[in-house]
């Protein structure tokens, strides 16, 4: 096992270096905090996206109907908003 006096010595040396180089220590600690915060937010976002609509009992059967809107010069846009008759047509046809 590690000697408690050795750990105490390492902590003293670390504290002295932090106090001696205040500006660089502040930059490093601030950068580490920002990095950890970005990582946590990214993980939370990914978890939220992967769990979207999984509360339904048959969530693997959920689909999204998209419409491609063509504009001039080959520019287009995908839209998920559909007119109301689409629901009736899908119930009859599918």
């Amino acid at each position: 096992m590690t000697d408690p006096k050795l750990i105490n010595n390492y902590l003293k040396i670390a504290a002295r270096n932090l106090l001696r180089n205040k500006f660089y220590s502040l930059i490093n600690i601030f950068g580490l905090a920002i990095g950890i915060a970005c990582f946590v937010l990214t993980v939370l976002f990914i978890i939220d996206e992967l769990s979207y609509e999984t509360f339904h009992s048959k969530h693997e059967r959920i689909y999204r109907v998209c419409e491609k809107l063509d504009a001039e010069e080959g520019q287009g846009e995908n839209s998920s908003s559909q007119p109301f008759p689409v629901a009736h047509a899908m119930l009859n046809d599918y």
Side-chain angles (χ1 to χ4, degrees), residues 12-71:
K12 282 183 186 178
I13 291 171
R16 287 178 187 161
N17 284 331
L18 286 174
L19 292 175
R20 189 175 303 145
N21 302 317
K22 291 179 185 175
F23 182 70
Y24 294 114
S25 298
L26 180 69
I27 290 173
N28 286 331
I29 293 171
F30 186 67
L32 180 64
I34 288 176
I36 291 173
C38 290
F39 172 76
V40 168
L41 289 175
T42 303
V43 167
L44 288 174
F45 176 75
I46 290 171
I47 289 172
D48 181 56
E49 287 295 315
L50 291 176
S51 67
Y52 187 72
E53 291 184 346
T54 55
F55 57 89
H56 291 290
S57 61
K58 297 177 182 177
H59 65 273
E60 60 274 346
R61 294 179 58 188
I62 297 175
Y63 294 95
R64 182 176 185 175
V65 177
C66 294
E67 175 184 21
K68 177 147 173 91
L69 303 172
D70 291 326

